[in-house]
Each structure stands twice: as structure tokens, then as C-alpha cells.
Amino acid sequence: MECPKCHKSVDDDDIFCPNCDTRLRPDKNKSIMKRFKKQNKPLNVEIVGEKKHKLSESKLKLILITVAVVLLVVLVVLIVVNIISGKGENTAESISEYIGVDVAKAQKKLDMHFKDESAFQGVNNALNFDYIIESDDSVNVDGINYPEWAALVTVDDEERIQTVKYSNFKVLKNNANGEKKSKAINLDKFEQGAKWSGLSDAIDLEYYGIVWSKDTKNYIYRYWYENDAGDDQPVVLNVTFDTDNKYLYYSSTLIYPEYL
């Protein structure tokens, strides 16, 4: 056997040339490492990682889209509920814009039909009105059915609208006396011209009704408290504002429970 570098004779078993130290046989370890590297390319790891990253992004987008759809549905439901719940008050307020106008003309302008009698006998017996528009849906108050809301109209001798009253009977469904308070509500600290928001915060009740007249807007609240004798004392609280929504005065009236 001849060395490929110095061309001198070497034994067949020699790994290195004894004359010039040239390797005569290949390094088995290096060959194994080369084969190992070829079989375990980093490129494969990067590709798998990239696929996983893309998959995670897709899942995240799907989750975000799902959450957005759910939020949109909830928002739509809230808007619809708000519109439905405010229908009675909006109806009454629209009619109030025709105070002083002939009732027939107001009906035509508003494209509404006023009834002269309620479909609920409790309303006919307890409330004073000449014409009414009311909800078809009912609410039970102490065993008696009332409409969920009603817009009540009174007129003068010439059939001109004098007052419009909005009544929200749903406020009374749990208790005909309204909500319980720890004591009688006193608004003496408020001066004329105060804002409605300030009085509303102090009252801290949902109003039972609103009455519009030519010069005023009156909010009606119903509540009860235990008097000194330990008896339930129902109260109707009236808070009156002018047409610019500036506070004028208030009054509290002790009532019978069946009064609506």
C-alpha cells in the first residue's frame, strides 16, 4: 500500500502514514456525525414550530370573533329591551307635545288611536282619565291585573288635551305600596332651580309615573316606611319641575294601599 501524499510504502493496517502522518483511513466518528446532522435538520424543527404558531393564531382569531359575536348579540338584546321598556314613557311624552291641541287632531298627527276605556277594570276603577293608550301585556298587583304601562289623557270641555300621565305599573308588581324606605323622604334642602339628577339621586327610587301639563312636569314616586307605631305607611311623592326641567317644589301624600 502506498501513501497518497508522500507515495512511500506503508502497511495495509496503518491508519496514519509513518513518514508524513497523513490519515490513510476515513474518520468513522465524523461520518456518523455527518449522517446524524443530515437526519436531524434544524429546518424541520423550524417548520413544525411555524405550523404550530400559525395554528395558534387561527385559534386566537376564532376566539376573538366568537367573543365579538356574543357581545354584539348581548348589545342588540339590551337595545331591544330598552326600546320596549321605554315605549310607554315615549308614547306619553309624544302625546304631551300636543297639550292644548284638539284630541282628534293630536291622534291624527301622532297616528295613534286613543281609547275611552281601559281593557283592565282596575285602571277604570282607580284612575281618572278621558282617553287612554296602554300596553297589551299585563302585570299583577295584589291580585289585580293592570297593563304594564298606560298613557292617560284628560281633556277640557272643548276636547283639548290638558294633561298626559304615564303610569308604570311594573314598579308596583312586588308591592302595591312601592319600594320600602327607612324613613320619609325629605327634599327641603333643595332650592328652586335645582337639577333633576340631584333630586333623583336623593330620592333613590324608580318613578311610578310622570304627569305633563301646560307649564309643569311632575314625577310621581311611591314608597312606604314603618312609622313610629310600627305600621306600614304608604306615601305618594310628587316632585314638580317647570318646562325647562328646573325644580319647583315637592309634596308628600299619605295614601291607602289600594290607591294607584
Side-chain angles (χ1 to χ4, degrees):
M1 181 177 175
E2 184 181 283
C3 175
K5 185 175 181 180
C6 65
H7 303 290
K8 291 183 179 182
S9 296
V10 295
D11 293 335
D12 291 341
D13 296 332
D14 288 340
I15 295 176
F16 294 93
C17 175
N19 300 302
C20 64
D21 291 331
T22 300
R23 176 178 282 277
L24 302 174
R25 301 178 186 277
D27 189 341
K28 292 183 179 180
N29 290 333
K30 288 186 177 180
S31 298
I32 293 172
M33 288 301 295
K34 285 182 179 179
R35 289 198 299 271
F36 179 79
K37 288 181 178 179
K38 287 181 179 179
Q39 294 173 359
N40 297 275
K41 292 182 179 179
L43 180 61
N44 292 337
V45 177
E46 292 177 1
I47 291 173
V48 172
E50 185 178 348
K51 287 181 179 179
K52 287 183 178 180
H53 181 65
K54 289 183 178 179
L55 184 61
S56 298
E57 284 187 346
S58 299
K59 287 184 177 179
L60 180 60
K61 287 180 180 179
L62 181 61
I63 291 172
L64 291 175
I65 291 172
T66 303
V67 171
V69 171
V70 171
L71 290 176
L72 180 60
V73 171
V74 171
L75 179 61
V76 170
V77 170
L78 289 175
I79 291 173
V80 172
V81 170
N82 187 56
I83 291 173
I84 294 174
S85 63
K87 182 179 179 180
E89 183 175 342
N90 293 336
T91 297
E93 187 169 17
S94 296
I95 299 172
S96 72
E97 296 176 3
Y98 290 87
I99 289 176
V101 177
D102 180 82
V103 69
K105 183 177 180 180
Q107 290 184 78
K108 185 176 180 179
K109 289 285 186 180
L110 292 166
D111 192 23
M112 295 180 183
H113 174 66
F114 298 171
K115 300 186 299 180
D116 57 9
E117 186 177 77
S118 171
F120 299 86
Q121 199 56 41
V123 174
N124 295 324
N125 293 338
L127 300 176
N128 177 42
F129 62 92
D130 295 305
Y131 298 98
I132 185 173
I133 292 181
E134 60 191 353
S135 169
D136 293 328
D137 297 321
S138 65
V139 60
N140 189 281
V141 181
D142 281 0
I144 301 174
N145 284 333
Y146 293 90
E148 288 190 346
W149 59 265
L152 307 160
V153 179
T154 63
V155 297
D156 61 16
D157 293 338
E158 297 182 4
E159 286 289 296
R160 292 176 298 193
I161 296 175
Q162 284 189 311
T163 66
V164 180
K165 179 181 181 181
Y166 161 68
S167 291
N168 181 9
F169 294 98
K170 290 186 293 183
V171 173
L172 308 180
K173 66 180 180 180
N174 295 323
N175 190 326
N177 295 330
E179 188 175 332
K180 182 180 180 180
K181 300 291 283 186
S182 60
K183 59 182 179 180
I185 295 174
N186 189 312
L187 301 178
D188 289 344
K189 68 178 182 179
F190 290 95
E191 297 181 354
Q192 287 190 356
K195 294 182 179 180
W196 181 84
S197 58
L199 281 99
S200 178
D201 290 341
I203 296 168
D204 193 25
L205 289 171
E206 183 178 1
Y207 49 82
Y208 159 69
I210 305 175
V211 179
W212 289 267
S213 65
K214 181 180 178 181
D215 300 316
T216 61
K217 182 178 182 180
N218 181 50
Y219 289 88
I220 306 170
Y221 300 86
R222 290 175 59 91
Y223 71 96
W224 64 278
Y225 64 94
E226 290 187 6
N227 57 27
D228 294 338
D231 298 323
D232 295 348
Q233 179 58 71
V235 181
V236 169
L237 172 67
N238 290 276
V239 186
T240 305
F241 296 79
D242 63 17
T243 53
D244 294 325
N245 218 30
K246 293 180 180 179
Y247 171 64
L248 295 176
Y249 54 85
Y250 84 98
S251 64
S252 294
T253 305
L254 306 184
I255 62 169
Y256 294 105
E258 65 272 14
Y259 173 75
L260 290 173

